[in-house]
Amino acid sequence: MDNFYVSPTEFASISGVSRQTLIFYEKKGIFLPAYKNEKGYRFYLMSQLDIIATIQSLQKIGLSLEEIKDYIEHRNAQSTYELFSNKINTLKEIITTYHKMINMMETKCQLITKANQILTDMVYIEYRDEIKIIKSDYIPFNSKEINQYKILGEHIKYNHSLGHAISGMVEWKKMLKSKRKKTFYQYYYTILDNQLEDENYDIIPSGNYLVIYHKGTYETSYQSYHLFLDYAKKNHLVLDDIAYDESLIDELTEANPQNYITQISVKFKKELE
C-alpha cells in the first residue's frame, strides 16, 4: 500500500470511521495521526487502514479501549491466539445462555397458546411422553401447611426456567376425601431442560392421561378433581393415585390469580373385563 498522507476527512471517508471517532481514539492514545504539521493539522497514512480495521474488529468482539490499546502495542501471534481462544469460549457460553433463554420463552409462549385453545372444567384424554423432572422431598398429607412451604422454598433453587413453573403432585383421592379446602401437594417438581442429561432425575411416566384444565388459583385446583371420578366411572377406567398439577397461566403471565390455568393430569388404564 502506498504511504502518502491524507487529511482526517479523507481518511474517515476511506476507512468508514468518523472524524469524531478518530479524534476520540487519539485522545485515548489508541490511534494517532501519522503526522502533525507546525499548525497542528493532522495527517494519516493509508497504511494505517490496517490498524483502524484491527481496532474496529477488536471492538466488535468486546474488547475495551484499554484492552485494545494494550493489544496493539504488544500484539504477536501467541497473544492473538490466546485472546481469540478465550473470546471464542466466552462467546460460546453467551450463545448457550441465549439459546436457553430463547427455549424458556418459547416454552412459555407454547403454554400460553395451549391455554388459549382449551376449554376449562371438562375432561380430555391426552397421550404424554416420559417427562424428566427434579422432585422435592415428600410432604406427608397430614403435615402442617408451613412444612409444605418450607419444602417449596428448598425446591425453588432447582427452578431455573421462565418456561415451566414449579409444579405439584397431589394424592388427589385423599384430597377429595379430606376436609381440606386448599390443594395440598405431596411433592413439588420442576420439569428439566432436555440438555440436562447428567442430572439425578425422576420421571413422569409415559402413557394415557385424563386431563382437566382448571381456571382459578393453585389452591382451588382440587375443586376439579371430582370430574376425574365421574369420567372414570362412566368409561370404566382405573385412575392412578397421583395427579400432576402444572401451570399454563401462572404468576409470571397473569396478575389476577383467578385467571390462572392449571393443567391437571392423572394416568389411567382400562378396567379388566
Side-chain angles (χ1 to χ4, degrees):
M1 184 180 293
D2 292 335
N3 283 329
F4 58 90
Y5 292 117
V6 297
S7 69
T9 299
E10 291 174 304
F11 190 82
S13 176
I14 294 170
S15 67
V17 176
S18 70
R19 286 192 55 171
Q20 290 81 3
T21 299
L22 292 176
I23 294 170
F24 177 72
Y25 286 163
E26 183 181 349
K27 288 180 178 178
K28 294 293 184 180
I30 298 171
F31 183 72
L32 304 177
Y35 169 69
K36 276 188 182 181
N37 66 16
E38 64 277 4
K39 294 184 179 181
Y41 294 136
R42 298 169 175 82
F43 295 92
Y44 296 88
L45 290 170
M46 296 308 297
S47 59
Q48 289 182 282
L49 285 172
D50 291 340
I51 300 299
I52 204 71
T54 298
I55 292 171
Q56 297 288 290
S57 296
L58 294 174
Q59 282 189 300
K60 287 180 180 178
I61 66 171
L63 264 64
S64 68
L65 294 179
E66 290 77 12
E67 290 172 323
I68 292 172
K69 184 176 185 296
D70 182 71
Y71 172 82
I72 289 174
E73 291 175 354
H74 303 99
R75 69 190 184 278
N76 56 53
Q78 184 59 33
S79 64
T80 301
Y81 178 86
E82 292 174 0
L83 171 67
F84 284 14
S85 294
N86 290 335
K87 279 296 176 182
I88 287 170
N89 291 333
T90 300
L91 289 172
K92 283 181 177 179
E93 291 175 2
I94 292 172
I95 290 169
T96 298
T97 298
Y98 276 115
H99 276 310
K100 288 181 179 179
M101 291 170 62
I102 290 169
N103 289 338
M104 291 175 186
M105 290 186 284
E106 286 180 340
T107 296
K108 181 59 71 178
C109 288
Q110 290 167 3
L111 294 176
I112 293 171
T113 298
K114 185 173 184 178
N116 288 334
Q117 293 174 343
I118 53 83
L119 298 175
T120 57
D121 300 323
M122 67 172 292
V123 180
Y124 292 81
I125 294 179
E126 297 181 10
Y127 178 81
R128 167 178 280 178
D129 290 324
E130 179 183 285
I131 299 174
K132 296 176 182 178
I133 61 172
I134 289 182
K135 194 166 65 174
S136 74
D137 292 335
Y138 180 71
I139 311 169
F141 194 77
N142 59 356
S143 294
K144 293 182 179 179
E145 191 171 319
I146 187 62
N147 293 330
Q148 185 181 31
Y149 286 112
K150 284 181 179 178
I151 290 180
L152 172 61
E154 293 170 358
H155 185 74
I156 284 174
K157 64 183 179 183
Y158 295 109
N159 191 57
H160 304 298
S161 171
L162 292 176
H164 291 284
I166 292 177
S167 304
M169 299 182 190
V170 183
E171 294 176 346
W172 66 279
K173 295 176 184 177
K174 286 185 180 179
M175 187 74 218
L176 282 179
K177 293 178 181 178
S178 74
K179 295 181 180 180
R180 287 184 181 273
K181 299 299 181 183
K182 185 183 293 187
T183 305
F184 190 90
Y185 299 113
Q186 274 58 68
Y187 294 97
Y188 290 101
Y189 68 91
T190 295
I191 295 176
L192 285 176
D193 188 299
N194 288 331
Q195 299 176 18
L196 302 178
E197 297 293 342
D198 57 347
E199 292 275 2
N200 294 321
Y201 59 83
D202 290 280
I203 62 167
I204 297 175
S206 62
N208 292 312
Y209 286 78
L210 296 186
V211 182
I212 299 167
Y213 296 94
H214 174 83
K215 185 173 184 179
T217 66
Y218 305 137
E219 292 85 357
T220 61
S221 65
Y222 75 93
Q223 295 174 356
S224 293
Y225 293 162
H226 70 91
L227 296 174
F228 288 134
L229 291 178
D230 297 340
Y231 189 92
K233 185 176 181 179
K234 290 178 182 178
N235 294 277
H236 309 290
L237 304 179
V238 178
L239 305 180
D240 280 4
D241 294 332
I242 296 295
Y244 300 92
D245 283 18
E246 180 187 348
S247 295
L248 303 184
I249 302 294
D250 58 12
E251 64 275 2
L252 177 67
T253 314
E254 172 63 51
N256 184 356
Q258 299 303 323
N259 290 329
Y260 291 176
I261 302 292
T262 301
Q263 173 185 277
I264 310 169
S265 308
V266 174
K267 197 168 186 287
F268 73 87
K269 58 185 177 182
K270 279 283 189 179
E271 286 183 350
L272 295 177
E273 296 182 1

